[in-house]
Each structure stands twice: as C-alpha cells, then as structure tokens.
Amino acid sequence: MPRIAIIGAGITGVTSAYALSKLGYDVTVYDRQRYPAMETSYANGGQLSASNAEVWNSTATILKGLRWMLRKNAPLLLNPKFSWHKYSWLAQFMAQIPNYRDNTIATTRLAIEARQHLFDMADAEGIDFDLERRGILHIYHDAASFDTARRSNALLEAGGLERYAVSSSEARDIEPTLQTGCYGGFYTPSDATGDIHKFTRGLAAACERRGVTFVQDADIDNISRDSRPYVLDILRNGGTQREQHEAHAIVVCAGAASRKFAQQLGDSLNIYPVKGYSISVHLDDAESQAAAPRVSLLDEAAKIVTSRLGDRFRVAGTAEFNGFNMDIRAERVQPLIDWTRKHFPNVKTSRVVPWCGLRPMTPNMMPRVGPGKRPGVFYNTGHGHLGWTLSAATAQMLAASVGRALPVG
C-alpha cells in the first residue's frame, strides 16, 4: 500500500489526511508543533464565509495599502523594507488584477462546495466545534462603500451565492445586539462560523481512529528528492535527535512554510506569510454573554470580522506584510479591543487573549492544489484568508489528484 507523508497538521493537512484515509491510503502527518492546529489553525476569525470570497487583486486594494502605509493601526500594513520574496510576490499580485473577476467567481463556487463537505465531516465524526449557522452580516458605514459592495456582490451572486442587501434597520433586526448604526449591509444566511482549532483537533482524532499516524514535534530539515521512496530528514526533541522516514508520496500542506518545501522538491511556489491578528474575549458573566452577537459580522471599513464561539467572542482582522514575524504588537491588537468596546459596550473586555497567525497567500489568492513536477509530490496549500472556508473542498480535490496518480491497489 502506498505510504503518503503529509507535511502540516493544520486544517488543510488534517482534512487532506481524512480524505486520503477514506480512500485506503497509509497516511502519516508530520508537524513541528506538539499538537495539531497550533499555528494558523489555532485562533482565526472563525468565519466559514463564501461571502468573503472576493480576491484582493484590485487597484482599490493597492491604493488603500499605499494610503495606510504610515498608520501603525491600519487594517492593511506593509513594511516597506526590501525583501525579494515580498516584492516579487507583490509584483505577481498586481499582475493578477485582470483575473479579479474570474478568480472571485471561482473562489465563491469552491467555498459553497466546501461548506457541505465540512458539515458532513463534522456530522460523521461527531465533532463539536461551536458551530453557529446564523449567517454573516457585512456592514457598511457610508453610501460609497455600500455601492462598491453592491458591485462586488454581483460577482458573488454569479458564483451561486445567495446574498442580499439590507437597510440599517434590517441589519439591527438581524443582529439586535449591534449598538451602533450603519448605512446598510449585505446578509448571507447560508454562511456560518465555528472554532477552527476544535474542529481540526476533533478531525485529527477521527483520522487516528481511521489509522492515520501523527508524528508531532517533528521539524522536517530536508527532503531527499533524488529517488523514490522519498526520504524525510526529521529533527526531534528540539533538534537533538535525527530520524529518517520514507514515503512513496508527499503532500505539502505546510501553510506559509510550503514555499520552502516546494523549493526542496523542485517546484516554484510563491506563498507569502500575511499576518493576521485576533482577540478572544471571554464572556465571563451573563451580561457579556447577552450583549455579544451570535450573527457573524464583517465591518468593511475596519476590515474586522467576528464570531461567537460558545462563551467566547472572537474578533479578528488586519493584514500585515512583514515576513515571518510572529510578534504580537500592542498597536495592532488595540484596534480590535477598541472596536469591540465601541460596537458592543456591554461586553466586558477584562479577559482578552490576543493571537496572531500567518496566512499563506499566493499572488492570485487561489489555493495551490494538485501535483508537483516530480512523481508523488502534491500540494494543498496557499489558501490565504480562506483556509477554514475552503479546506474541506480542496481536500477532496487533493484526494482525487492523488487517486489518479497513485492507485491504492
């Protein structure tokens, strides 16, 4: 039976392991952390959002980024210090602007497909992940931004999404806890939210029940590509122990680190780490629980999203182009706290846990799924800000690609 090594135990690695195990493959998942879902799949915004499928490749995004460069608390922040990786990525990003329409429609269709795959996995394996199927409400504070949203909404509808405009009063009816007014909004009733960490850990446990092996605390130092089976050089116990593992095939699901592994395997994969922040507001009293919204929100002006995860209120946002920097900066966290206090003043913010993660973004904002140049090399990575939304569908695409190239029998 072919032995498949999956690099990465985040949401894409674990959904890939689940899909491949159902086809009968011998699957081993490797990750440098002690447990699955401890990096970008730990505390994201929580939205399963086909309504957020619009790609960023537009002239408007470029202009906003230039205006915000000198604001430390800006929703999008670019460190102008030169690096070849960053500026080559940005050049390719701008070159994809002509594909904005087609890529937005394609991403919308993929997000809609992914939704049912994820719900089916959760139902089949009995995974509790604080799922809220109450839709997502995008809010806009002026006529200009609302009109811009109306134009982009036409692309989402072309992709098959049911999403409709609502007035300010209708927005308040959808989420009564919202204390501040807005010009208008767009509501997507079929979208949902959930805890990506709880889901991924639950699905990892289901994978183990199906015979998948997880090798944690395993830092892959090198992959030998000269012959098959492939040989993975692995550092364990903080680099004090070295092991070698063999695999007939490799699936790279390593998030922002996927570019490094692609280089080792002879492929070019331009993924850039775009840092995002979140806070988890613990709702420790009845008043805060009653004041926190259950409908997921996206504030277009602030680029902030929210999710209700049981007794926690997740608030997330910002995009920071600053390399593999994992510092949690106070000036980036404070706008999330301030936004919560402004819009939900009765939610106590006395216990707030900040977090940051690196979104693995390709220049065209589309995930890279399928085979590499060498036999037995596959990718399921580069999902950007939509890994939680798209992973259940791309796992099926990955499994189909492996099945065509590497029969189980």
Side-chain angles (χ1 to χ4, degrees):
M1 180 186 300
R3 182 174 183 275
I4 299 177
I6 295 178
I7 303 175
I11 184 64
T12 57
V14 174
T15 51
S16 296
Y18 185 76
L20 289 170
S21 70
K22 292 187 72 174
L23 293 180
Y25 290 100
D26 178 6
V27 179
T28 301
V29 181
Y30 296 87
D31 195 274
R32 63 186 177 183
Q33 299 295 340
R34 180 166 290 187
Y35 311 103
M38 294 303 293
E39 294 194 26
T40 307
S41 298
Y42 186 76
N44 72 351
Q47 291 188 331
L48 293 160
S49 52
S51 60
N52 205 21
E54 180 185 7
V55 299
W56 298 1
N57 308 84
S58 68
T59 303
T61 300
I62 301 296
L63 294 176
K64 286 179 182 178
L66 292 173
R67 289 200 304 269
W68 287 336
M69 276 184 65
L70 300 179
R71 279 179 50 193
K72 290 185 177 180
N73 64 348
L76 190 154
L77 186 65
L78 171 68
N79 182 343
K81 183 178 179 181
F82 179 79
S83 81
W84 175 253
H85 184 193
K86 176 167 55 187
Y87 281 97
S88 67
W89 188 95
L90 288 170
Q92 292 181 27
F93 174 88
M94 289 187 287
Q96 288 291 327
I97 290 175
N99 299 320
Y100 158 79
R101 182 182 189 280
D102 290 345
N103 287 347
T104 294
I105 292 173
T107 304
T108 304
R109 290 172 176 160
L110 187 60
I112 294 170
E113 177 189 346
R115 183 187 292 148
Q116 194 55 53
H117 285 303
L118 186 140
F119 294 154
D120 289 346
M121 290 178 188
D123 290 343
E125 303 299 341
I127 302 171
D128 176 13
F129 60 107
D130 294 324
L131 175 64
E132 292 278 4
R133 300 180 68 168
R134 298 172 186 258
I136 293 179
L137 174 65
H138 289 219
I139 57 175
Y140 303 87
H141 298 288
D142 55 70
S145 62
F146 185 76
D147 289 341
T148 299
R150 191 185 299 278
R151 291 192 291 272
S152 62
N153 188 62
L155 301 182
L156 302 179
E157 290 179 332
L161 186 65
E162 178 194 356
R163 186 172 183 255
Y164 56 87
V166 295
S167 66
S168 178
S169 61
E170 288 170 332
R172 288 289 296 272
D173 290 339
I174 291 169
E175 183 42 72
T177 65
L178 186 62
Q179 293 296 297
T180 52
C182 64
Y183 179 87
F186 279 89
Y187 181 55
T188 312
S190 58
D191 274 346
T193 58
D195 188 322
I196 185 174
H197 181 73
K198 291 178 71 172
F199 177 87
T200 308
R201 292 292 290 269
L203 192 63
C207 286
E208 288 186 300
R209 293 193 296 269
R210 300 186 64 87
V212 174
T213 300
F214 282 79
V215 181
Q216 304 288 154
D217 277 327
D219 193 356
I220 297 176
D221 186 47
N222 186 57
I223 304 172
S224 172
R225 67 188 193 196
D226 296 330
S227 62
R228 295 176 70 185
Y230 294 100
V231 178
L232 285 69
D233 289 320
I234 299 170
L235 300 177
R236 308 291 302 276
N237 299 324
T240 61
Q241 177 184 347
R242 184 179 291 272
E243 299 176 359
Q244 289 191 328
H245 293 209
E246 293 185 348
H248 298 96
I250 295 173
V251 180
V252 178
C253 303
S258 297
R259 178 173 177 263
K260 174 186 73 173
F261 293 114
Q263 289 173 338
Q264 294 181 15
L265 293 165
D267 289 308
S268 177
L269 183 58
N270 198 359
I271 287 178
Y272 193 83
V274 180
K275 188 196 293 188
Y277 288 83
S278 77
I279 57 172
S280 296
V281 182
H282 287 257
L283 308 173
D284 292 325
D285 58 86
E287 182 183 12
S288 294
Q289 292 173 17
R294 289 197 174 273
V295 172
S296 179
L297 304 174
L298 190 153
D299 185 329
E300 181 63 29
K303 302 296 184 185
I304 284 176
V305 306
T306 75
S307 296
R308 180 67 177 269
L309 305 174
D311 59 359
R312 294 161 297 148
F313 181 43
R314 178 73 48 78
V315 182
T318 78
E320 185 176 314
F321 289 76
N322 196 21
F324 285 87
N325 181 295
M326 288 291 289
D327 295 340
I328 296 179
R329 299 165 53 190
E331 69 267 22
R332 306 294 283 159
V333 172
Q334 192 61 45
L336 303 178
I337 299 173
D338 292 344
W339 185 93
T340 303
R341 291 172 174 170
K342 175 182 178 180
H343 294 283
F344 302 96
N346 293 325
V347 172
K348 291 184 175 62
T349 53
S350 57
R351 191 156 70 102
V352 171
V353 180
W355 172 87
C356 72
L358 300 177
R359 307 178 185 97
M361 289 201 169
T362 61
N364 67 355
M365 309 293 291
M366 305 287 284
R368 170 74 161 85
V369 186
K373 292 179 181 177
R374 283 175 166 73
V377 173
F378 301 89
Y379 296 91
N380 183 15
T381 188
H383 295 63
H385 65 300
L386 292 175
W388 181 213
T389 296
L390 301 179
S391 58
T394 61
Q396 307 303 315
M397 295 164 58
L398 178 279
S401 180
V402 172
R404 287 190 295 268
L406 195 69
V408 176

